[in-house]
Amino acid sequence: MTTVINNPGNGEGSDSGVGIMIGIIVLVVIVGLFFIYALPAIRAGSAIPQDSSIDVNVKLPGGNASSTPAP
């Protein structure tokens, strides 16, 4: 008859959640770098070219000169 010896592992296969925590940290770092570097670069490529002058004149609709103002 054969003898079966069950040798337990050294704990490398145990699920302790360290991999998930490292994955979350890496994901947060990647998303942060995206917002810091990639998003401004994308916006700069599609920005409206601006002149050195700004038009601040407000155009109002024409009113009826014969009407009286409200009390």
Side-chain angles (χ1 to χ4, degrees):
M1 185 171 188
T2 59
T3 304
V4 177
I5 301 173
N6 187 7
N7 293 330
N10 57 1
E12 290 179 10
S14 66
D15 186 23
S16 62
V18 175
I20 292 174
M21 292 302 294
I22 292 174
I24 290 172
I25 292 170
V26 168
L27 182 65
V28 167
V29 168
I30 290 174
V31 168
L33 290 174
F34 175 78
F35 278 107
I36 292 172
Y37 294 109
L39 195 59
I42 293 170
R43 285 185 167 187
S46 65
I48 299 171
Q50 296 183 359
D51 310 4
S52 61
S53 65
I54 298 174
D55 185 19
V56 293
N57 295 324
V58 178
K59 295 178 178 60
L60 298 175
N64 190 355
S66 65
S67 66
T68 58

